[in-house]
């Protein structure tokens, strides 16, 4: 088990959350998979180990991780939200063929946020920027 997973589990325990084997597995899967999975992908990956687990269980746990600030939800309008266990500032490159998301670390463009504030009078709290392309796996076919 990685330190990150252990730290996250400790944080949950501190918040009085019971660590069930399913909860543990969902969190580990999220933290170790680099592809920003959907709830359905998590469900399908863990279903062989937890045949009695439902998609609703996965959703409920994700919601709990979101509320605890341990996970970020990347919404795409429909039901295909993806989940990111890295809540630090970073950008994403998205494969337009398979939907996979990779992290891309780049200095946060906070200057642009200030410009947006100046030009609109809004208080800007954040931004989201994504890059689109085709991943290596998809390009190979
Ligand atoms: Zn792809
Ligand atoms: Zn990410």
């Amino acid at each position: 088990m990685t330190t990150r997973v252990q730290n996250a589990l400790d944080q949950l325990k501190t918040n009085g959350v019971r660590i069930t084997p399913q909860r543990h597995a969902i969190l580990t899967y999220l933290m170790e998979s680099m592809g920003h999975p959907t709830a359905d992908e998590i469900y399908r990956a863990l279903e062989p180990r937890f045949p009695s687990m439902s998609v609703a269980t996965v959703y409920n746990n994700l919601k709990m991780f979101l509320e605890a600030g341990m996970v970020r939800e990347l919404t795409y309008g429909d039901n295909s939200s993806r989940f990111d266990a890295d809540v630090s500032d970073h950008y994403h490159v998205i494969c337009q063929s398979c939907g996979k998301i990779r992290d891309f670390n780049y200095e946060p463009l906070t200057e642009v946020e200030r410009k947006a504030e100046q030009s609109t009078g809004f208080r800007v709290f954040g931004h989201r920027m994504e890059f689109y392309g085709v991943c290596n796996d998809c390009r190979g076919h």
Side-chain angles (χ1 to χ4, degrees):
M1 189 165 32
T2 65
T3 331
R4 271 184 75 215
V5 175
Q6 189 55 58
N7 288 345
L9 290 171
D10 288 346
Q11 191 193 325
L12 284 177
K13 276 186 215 153
T14 309
N15 293 342
V17 175
R18 205 162 59 91
I19 311 297
T20 63
Q22 294 179 355
R23 193 160 278 164
H24 188 162
I26 294 168
L27 195 62
T28 306
Y29 183 80
L30 254 179
M31 293 196 149
E32 289 176 354
S33 80
M34 301 311 289
H36 303 67
T38 62
D40 203 54
E41 280 168 3
I42 299 171
Y43 168 72
R44 276 184 277 122
L46 300 179
E47 205 234 336
R49 266 164 68 202
F50 301 99
S52 65
M53 185 173 70
S54 67
V55 189
T57 308
V58 174
Y59 270 110
N60 290 339
N61 277 288
L62 287 170
K63 205 168 150 240
M64 205 260 300
F65 299 148
L66 279 170
E67 280 161 7
M70 298 163 63
V71 162
R72 180 186 302 176
E73 182 177 15
L74 308 167
T75 50
Y76 293 97
D78 47 12
N79 241 350
S80 61
S81 279
R82 290 179 166 269
F83 295 88
D84 190 350
D86 182 352
V87 293
S88 68
D89 281 330
H90 63 274
Y91 294 106
H92 290 128
V93 185
I94 301 173
C95 176
Q96 286 192 303
S97 178
C98 68
K100 179 193 317 177
I101 301 180
R102 281 281 178 277
D103 289 335
F104 165 52
N105 288 302
Y106 192 83
E107 208 176 308
L109 301 169
T110 42
E111 265 174 62
V112 184
E113 293 188 4
R114 299 293 82 81
K115 294 270 182 206
E117 287 187 327
Q118 282 163 21
S119 97
T120 61
F122 279 41
R123 272 285 282 123
V124 172
F125 302 123
H127 65 275
R128 176 166 155 181
M129 183 168 64
E130 297 174 335
F131 301 89
Y132 306 98
V134 181
C135 76
N136 279 336
D137 292 341
C138 292
R139 220 171 34 189
H141 298 164

